Amino acid sequence: GENVEQHPSTLSVQEGDSAVIKCTYSDSASNYFPWYKQELGKGPQLIIDIRSNVGEKKDQRIAVTLNKTAKHFSLHITETQPEDSAVYFCAASPTAGKLIFGQGTTLQVKP
Amino acid sequence: GAGVSQSPSNKVTEKGKDVELRCDPISGHTALYWYRQRLGQGLEFLIYFQGNSAPDKSGLPSDRFSAERTGESVSTLTIQRTQQEDSAVYLCASSLVAIQETQYFGPGTRLLVL
């Protein structure tokens, strides 16, 4: 079955710097790749997603890139702010309705 | 509009007891999902519903776990004869349809089995 690996597990950056989180997946049938942000005690919230027919998508300070040949995708956050501090999860969808999540990255943005 | 709601928000139970967890999806969403999140871990897929049927139950850990959905709305996840390893946050999500659609998550039910 699908397996998603996420790195790093923790990431600490200074406010204003960029943060990059990387994920790899194993099932070439996966065609949908969302990223979620989870704050303490809350459910995950979608921040951006990308489908397999595009290589890059951007939304203000957040961007995602997808390399289907290499089976990896990355989240880029620019001009980080303290409120970006949270746990971030990548996911891949190998079949309809199923998301396989990475183990999460705890991002700390220091003021 | 209202998001996904789950109840109870917290549940403490004794080993061997049965528990029922409830999910109310966003109105009009035909797909509903259950995930389990152990402390400090990622989310594990359990089951998803399209309408009232469950095309994919592959993530249910054992036959102690079951779920149903009625009226293309509310869903209940039941854990029978709970074990300490069942302690986790159980998250429900819903989406308009099941294919390549944003899943909106509820706040979760925190289950502690003593």
Side-chain angles (χ1 to χ4, degrees), chain B:
Chain B
V4 177
S5 60
Q6 293 186 246
S7 61
S9 54
N10 293 280
K11 178 72 176 178
V12 180
T13 190
E14 293 178 348
K15 178 181 172 181
K17 296 283 180 69
D18 297 351
V19 295
E20 283 190 355
L21 312 180
R22 177 187 167 108
C23 173
D24 284 85
I26 294 172
S27 178
H29 279 195
T30 66
L32 184 147
Y33 315 82
W34 285 98
Y35 294 88
R36 178 171 71 179
Q37 186 174 30
R38 290 197 164 110
L39 189 64
Q41 302 291 314
L43 284 74
E44 299 172 68
F45 170 83
L46 297 178
I47 187 172
Y48 101 90
F49 290 89
Q50 178 61 58
N52 292 335
S53 64
D56 193 339
K57 306 179 184 180
S58 62
L60 294 178
S62 73
D63 58 8
R64 296 187 296 105
F65 287 72
S66 63
E68 64 174 19
R69 188 180 186 196
T70 55
E72 296 196 358
S73 180
V74 172
S75 176
T76 302
L77 177 69
T78 301
I79 309 174
Q80 295 179 310
R81 305 180 302 282
T82 52
Q83 303 294 311
Q84 289 182 329
E85 60 263 29
D86 299 334
S87 296
V89 176
Y90 289 83
L91 290 156
C92 174
S94 70
S95 64
L96 276 173
V97 294
I99 300 176
Q100 293 192 0
E101 279 291 329
T102 300
Q103 295 186 19
Y104 296 88
F105 282 84
T109 293
R110 284 151 191 79
L111 175 65
L112 178 61
V113 181
L114 300 176

